Amino acid sequence: MIQTFAESGLQVDILDAIQELGFEQPTPIQAQTIPFLLNSRQDFIGLAQTGTGKTAAFGLPALHLTDVEDKQTQTLILCPTRELCLQITSDLSKYSKRMRGLNVVPVYGGASIETQIKALKKGAQIVVGTPGRSLDLIKRKKLKPHNINRLVLDEADEMLSMGFKEDLDAILENTPEEKQTLLFSATLSKEIARITKKYMNNPEQVSVNPRNTAAENVSHIYYMVQAKDRYQVLKRLADVNPDIYGIVFCRTRQETKDIAKKLMEDGYNADALHGDLSQAQRDEVMHRFRNRQLQILVATDVAARGIDVNDLTHVVNYNLPDDTDAYVHRSGRTGRAGKKGLSIAIVHSREGRRIREVEKVAGVKFTKGTVPGGKEIVTKQLYAFIDKVTQTNVDEKQIQPFMEAIYEKLEPMSREDLIKHFVSAEFNRFLDYYKDSRDINVSESNRKQEKNGPKARKTRTGGGKIKFSRLYINLGTKHKLNPTRLIGLINETLRSRDAEIGKIEILKNFSFFEIEDNLTNKLVDGLIGKKFDGHPILVELSEAKKAGGRNKGNRRPRTKKRR
């Protein structure tokens, strides 16, 4: 293990470039990986979280070992998203800026394949690509991986979770057996283990974080409120943090669109990132976010994969993800480069159990926060504005021609009146909005009353309990259905996020879920003729009480059609 980059053995051109970038001491994954890759052709597995410096860990040795006189592709780097592809390319270009004759080419979907083909023809010693576009170029014989020395699988767990298993298998089968394979992942899942067993030979394994735990310099806070108050919490958090620069994670595309639209309509510097955007629209949003022209980016987990921004102050979980690993990935986007970060969860009054689960699995400790009230928010905004005014640079030459008229207009005012008008002009909006603001925090007593979940729930129109219907759907894990995607399907079909959804059971070939009875007909009718990833959807009212028993083995349960 090395203590400094200077003792790594990297060539001088690379050391000079990374020194200019401010690289001094390697991160743990870099300290263990770089010397190994410089001195060994053995396959390698690196287990480390997002933001730990994996790109430099595999990228610096790849640059060092590249023969710049040979224009053929020597290293192929595969990653899950276009954003990460471009980020890796950008980083490698910075590290190699003093290496003459070296060419790094990114290939990804959503951009002109002809342009990428031209770039490959000019010679590309290192190619960074997404699996789909890389395989397309291989089939066209434009990307030639048959003689590569190194194959890097970055964020391998994400590529598999996004459905690139078949593409990866096809690419790996087109690469030489004697190459060195490097696999980097946050987790070591069964599918990752399958790849290592099938395509890797006696790999060396380095684990920086043995468990999928969250970063130590990230604080975790949850705010417990009623579901209807989630958006109010988000607004108050943005208002009490005038310099917020963060990502808000939502479950579904529709929710992402809705929240971003509300924020923009309410005057916040926000925008959305989701799967319905064209590549040009995604590029525009990410350009503005990286340049801090946007303060808040509202995104789904899938759309946010590959975003690499180091200075995020906040990550806000508008909904907790169903997968704890997803929470770790989300929270790991803040608190980077030695800085402090804040991961916030806005939870429903009956989600206390989920907080405990995340704490246990991710190895974090949540603090219960108090949603700020109007007085606290206005005070914070006022002080932030005063600080901004006092720190503003004054250009005497530019404002001098106007000063005489300004003095004349303000002369009747006393110093005290001037300050009052000055503050009121800026803050009347906040003062009016928050003057009668209510306390939206859920007390422990309310939480205890509701801890039994659906059995304690009231209807929105009165004091009775909500009646649930149990439905069968002909989709399961085989069709890549999970609770998040099922909830998204329900919300999109009903065009609402207000539906009460009860227990969800995802099986291999089909699933069960509960929904409030008065929405059953609307949901069933709305799904008629629809498809899920190309598979026709069938939803029926189920008579079965449980998925087990006589339906064991995933046999189709008895159902009756809803009239």
Side-chain angles (χ1 to χ4, degrees):
M1 185 182 297
I2 56 174
Q3 301 299 317
T4 65
F5 285 105
E7 62 185 81
S8 65
L10 290 166
Q11 58 181 278
V12 175
D13 287 346
I14 296 175
L15 290 175
D16 289 344
I18 63 176
Q19 186 177 15
E20 288 181 16
L21 293 170
F23 284 39
E24 295 178 0
Q25 291 183 321
T27 65
I29 189 66
Q30 293 165 359
Q32 296 182 68
T33 304
I34 292 173
F36 178 85
L37 296 183
L38 289 179
N39 296 287
S40 175
R41 293 275 297 167
Q42 185 180 349
D43 289 349
F44 181 87
I45 298 173
L47 300 178
Q49 299 299 322
T50 301
T52 53
K54 296 196 299 296
T55 300
F58 63 74
L60 296 177
L63 293 170
H64 176 91
L65 296 168
T66 298
D67 180 2
V68 294
E69 301 298 327
D70 183 357
K71 297 301 180 183
Q72 293 186 88
T73 301
Q74 300 165 44
T75 299
L76 174 59
I77 302 169
L78 298 176
C79 56
T81 65
R82 178 186 192 276
E83 285 74 25
L84 185 55
C85 174
L86 291 172
Q87 185 65 48
I88 293 172
T89 303
S90 174
D91 288 344
L92 295 183
S93 298
K94 292 174 184 175
Y95 304 155
S96 62
K97 67 178 183 179
R98 295 180 179 273
M99 297 176 65
R100 291 187 177 181
L102 186 121
N103 196 16
V104 183
V105 172
V107 296
Y108 48 86
S112 169
I113 195 169
E114 296 302 327
T115 301
Q116 294 171 4
I117 289 172
K118 288 179 183 177
L120 292 173
K121 283 183 178 178
K122 292 179 181 178
Q125 293 96 340
I126 299 178
V127 174
V128 187
T130 53
R133 178 53 61 90
S134 297
L135 182 58
D136 190 357
L137 289 166
I138 289 171
K139 289 178 177 178
R140 295 180 185 221
K141 302 187 184 305
K142 304 302 180 182
L143 172 58
K144 302 173 182 177
H146 308 93
N147 297 311
I148 63 170
N149 301 317
R150 284 163 297 282
L151 173 67
V152 182
L153 304 177
D154 190 25
E155 302 282 5
D157 51 344
E158 295 288 353
M159 286 193 283
L160 291 172
S161 69
M162 292 173 70
F164 288 127
K165 175 179 174 292
E166 292 181 1
D167 289 347
L168 290 175
D169 282 338
I171 293 170
L172 286 162
E173 288 168 0
N174 278 279
T175 56
E177 289 186 11
E178 62 273 16
K179 70 182 179 301
Q180 184 181 33
T181 302
L182 316 176
L183 184 148
F184 290 83
S185 176
T187 58
L188 193 58
S189 65
K190 290 182 179 179
E191 274 301 313
I192 295 290
R194 181 191 68 82
I195 285 181
T196 62
K197 185 176 181 180
K198 185 175 181 180
Y199 296 107
M200 302 181 79
N201 181 29
N202 188 31
E204 175 75 8
Q205 182 172 312
V206 168
S207 181
V208 173
N209 259 332
R211 298 173 59 208
N212 194 16
T213 54
E216 293 182 359
N217 53 338
V218 176
S219 299
H220 303 266
I221 297 178
Y222 74 93
Y223 296 97
M224 185 168 285
V225 295
Q226 298 293 336
K228 61 185 177 63
D229 290 324
R230 285 185 194 273
Y231 180 67
Q232 281 298 320
V233 178
L234 182 59
K235 285 182 62 175
R236 294 193 189 189
L237 291 175
D239 288 342
V240 83
N241 295 283
D243 296 323
I244 188 172
Y245 179 48
I247 301 178
V248 177
F249 284 96
C250 296
R251 281 184 184 272
T252 66
R253 294 179 185 181
Q254 190 58 50
E255 187 174 60
T256 300
K257 295 176 187 176
D258 292 343
I259 299 305
K261 182 180 179 183
K262 284 183 180 180
L263 287 171
M264 288 186 281
E265 288 175 346
D266 287 338
Y268 295 93
N269 195 4
D271 210 334
L273 193 69
H274 51 77
D276 288 343
L277 296 179
S278 68
Q279 198 59 59
Q281 290 172 322
R282 287 175 62 88
D283 291 346
E284 173 62 20
V285 171
M286 282 309 305
H287 175 74
R288 288 190 291 136
F289 187 58
R290 284 199 175 96
N291 291 333
R292 302 193 80 146
Q293 295 168 340
L294 290 177
Q295 282 187 273
I296 301 173
L297 182 67
V298 189
T300 58
D301 287 294
V302 172
R305 284 170 181 156
I307 294 176
D308 192 9
V309 180
N310 286 327
D311 298 325
L312 295 183
T313 59
H314 293 71
V315 165
V316 180
N317 296 269
Y318 195 80
N319 303 100
L320 277 174
D322 292 299
D323 183 2
T324 303
D325 284 351
Y327 176 83
V328 175
H329 280 293
R330 289 179 179 184
S331 64
R333 297 181 185 279
T334 185
R336 293 186 177 183
K339 298 180 181 179
K340 297 291 185 182
L342 191 59
S343 179
I344 292 171
I346 305 174
V347 299
H348 190 277
S349 55
R350 292 182 293 276
E351 289 181 317
R353 178 182 58 82
R354 289 283 293 115
I355 290 292
R356 305 286 87 81
E357 287 176 0
V358 174
E359 285 185 323
K360 182 178 179 180
V361 177
V364 303
K365 181 63 179 175
F366 277 94
T367 301
K368 184 178 181 182
T370 302
V371 181
K375 183 178 180 181
E376 180 183 352
I377 291 169
V378 172
T379 301
K380 198 73 174 281
Q381 284 280 345
L382 177 59
Y383 290 166
F385 178 69
I386 298 300
D387 288 341
K388 181 180 178 181
V389 170
T390 57
Q391 294 167 14
T392 299
N393 292 323
V394 176
D395 188 331
E396 295 283 356
K397 290 183 179 179
Q398 282 194 348
I399 66 170
Q400 190 58 45
F402 309 101
M403 292 309 297
E404 185 177 347
I406 292 172
Y407 287 141
E408 185 177 339
K409 284 183 174 294
L410 298 178
E411 188 176 7
M413 286 186 170
S414 65
R415 177 175 178 273
E416 185 177 345
D417 286 340
L418 182 59
I419 292 173
K420 287 179 181 178
H421 280 76
F422 174 76
V423 171
S424 297
E426 181 66 25
F427 284 95
N428 276 350
R429 178 176 65 88
F430 276 106
L431 292 168
D432 289 342
Y433 185 81
Y434 283 113
K435 66 180 178 181
D436 297 319
S437 62
R438 60 189 176 87
D439 181 3
I440 59 177
N441 294 280
V442 170
S443 66
E444 286 299 318
S445 59
N446 286 341
R447 179 183 168 188
K448 288 175 182 177
Q449 289 174 9
E450 297 178 338
K451 68 180 180 179
N452 291 324
K455 292 181 180 179
R457 283 186 277 200
K458 305 292 184 181
T459 61
R460 281 182 283 272
T461 57
K465 296 177 182 178
I466 288 180
K467 183 179 178 182
F468 283 88
S469 291
R470 190 167 188 267
L471 300 180
Y472 159 90
I473 186 169
N474 65 331
L475 303 170
T477 55
K478 174 183 176 182
H479 311 95
K480 299 181 181 179
L481 184 74
N482 58 37
T484 301
R485 298 190 75 184
L486 177 58
I487 292 170
L489 178 65
I490 294 170
N491 289 343
E492 289 179 11
T493 303
L494 297 175
R495 299 184 180 279
S496 169
R497 303 185 315 279
D498 297 330
E500 290 284 357
I501 300 171
K503 187 177 181 181
I504 295 175
E505 298 173 79
I506 306 292
L507 303 176
K508 182 179 180 180
N509 297 311
F510 57 83
S511 303
F512 298 95
F513 64 94
E514 295 176 340
I515 190 167
E516 55 183 298
D517 188 66
N518 63 321
L519 292 176
T520 303
N521 283 337
K522 182 178 179 181
L523 179 64
V524 172
D525 292 343
L527 288 170
I528 293 174
K530 284 198 171 186
K531 293 185 178 181
F532 181 85
D533 286 353
H535 188 82
I537 298 174
L538 171 66
V539 174
E540 296 176 337
L541 190 66
S542 174
E543 290 180 331
K545 298 297 183 184
K546 293 184 179 179
R550 56 196 174 87
N551 292 322
K552 211 168 184 178
N554 277 6
R555 291 195 298 270
R556 168 88 176 263
R558 289 192 300 120
T559 58
K560 63 181 181 181
K561 292 185 178 179
R562 185 87 175 182
R563 298 294 182 186

